Amino acid sequence: MRGSPLQLSYDARLLEPVAVRAGEFFADGSFTYRVSPDGSILVGAFGKGEVPADAEFLVVTFKPVRAGVTAELKLSSVALQDAAGGPVVHAPLAAFRTSITQ
């Protein structure tokens, strides 16, 4: 796989992104992102070489805004591309949910 434009969605009333960076998967390629105040992060990432199968795609750090609730992160859009730029078929990814306790 060579690239992946994607959109990560979250509830901006519950979480505030404080850092976004490329994971090892795109470490030698290009990586851009834009945080939208409506609760989404748009990412454009393209790799250059071979990477381990368990390499991180991207790393996002959030700061909790409210405690005592459950926050959800989901890939609302993802388009994986193979080395030739063609689409990679994949199953939909489930949302990640966690409780905010502090």
Side-chain angles (χ1 to χ4, degrees):
M1 189 166 63
R2 113 181 154 158
S4 177
L6 63 89
Q7 181 175 358
L8 178 67
S9 299
Y10 59 94
D11 188 335
R13 296 170 300 167
L14 305 177
L15 299 170
E16 177 186 336
V18 294
V20 180
R21 68 174 174 83
E24 184 181 352
F25 199 92
F26 299 113
D28 293 331
S30 67
F31 181 84
T32 61
Y33 70 92
R34 185 180 83 219
V35 176
S36 177
D38 70 351
S40 64
I41 301 171
L42 302 170
V43 175
F46 296 90
K48 290 185 177 179
E50 296 292 321
V51 294
D54 62 347
E56 298 168 327
F57 227 52
L58 76 140
V59 179
V60 182
T61 304
F62 289 96
K63 175 176 117 180
V65 175
R66 276 186 26 206
V69 295
T70 298
E72 179 178 281
L73 302 173
K74 65 181 176 178
L75 284 174
S76 49
S77 174
V78 62
L80 303 177
Q81 297 174 355
D82 64 20
V88 174
V89 179
H90 60 87
L93 301 171
F96 173 78
R97 292 181 181 95
T98 189
S99 297
I100 300 174
T101 57
Q102 62 165 243

